[in-house]
Amino acid sequence: AWLTGRWINIFDEHGDHQSGWLARGDVMAGPRLRLFAGVSDAPDTSEGVVVDTFSLFGGLAYDLDDRSTLRLSVAHEDRETGSGRLQLGLGMGWRF
């Protein structure tokens, strides 16, 4: 198991600065299965405007073999302006 933290920064063309953070935890649930979950409170840009966001996310990654991984994730994001967003993700990765 491991924990990851990130400090997120955005600087605009006028020198203004906004920062936030992200925390994520991963655990090996089996020899080929990794589970992860996290939370983020950080700025994001949308159409050239910086907005505050708060996100919760989680998912799994399953190693099909030594070179390929299947990923499934879900994330919920609340934005300072606009509506919240629910995102489902499915992806495949190949190592070379």
Side-chain angles (χ1 to χ4, degrees):
W2 61 96
L3 296 174
T4 305
R6 291 184 184 177
W7 180 29
I8 300 167
N9 294 279
I10 292 181
F11 299 88
D12 70 13
E13 65 273 2
H14 304 293
D16 295 328
H17 169 249
Q18 291 186 11
S19 66
W21 54 270
L22 178 141
R24 174 179 163 153
D26 290 70
V27 64
M28 293 299 296
R32 294 180 172 258
L33 179 64
R34 183 177 77 245
L35 305 175
F36 63 89
V39 61
S40 172
D41 188 1
D44 189 19
T45 56
S46 177
E47 299 176 13
V49 177
V50 178
V51 295
D52 287 327
T53 63
F54 181 80
S55 302
L56 297 171
F57 60 91
L60 59 89
Y62 183 77
D63 291 333
L64 299 172
D65 56 38
D66 290 341
R67 298 186 61 176
S68 58
T69 302
L70 180 65
R71 293 182 191 88
L72 177 64
S73 63
V74 62
H76 175 74
E77 179 181 272
D78 288 320
R79 291 182 162 276
E80 178 182 26
T81 58
S83 60
R85 180 181 357 187
L86 181 65
Q87 177 180 329
L88 300 175
L90 177 63
M92 185 81 142
W94 287 276
R95 291 177 287 285
F96 53 91

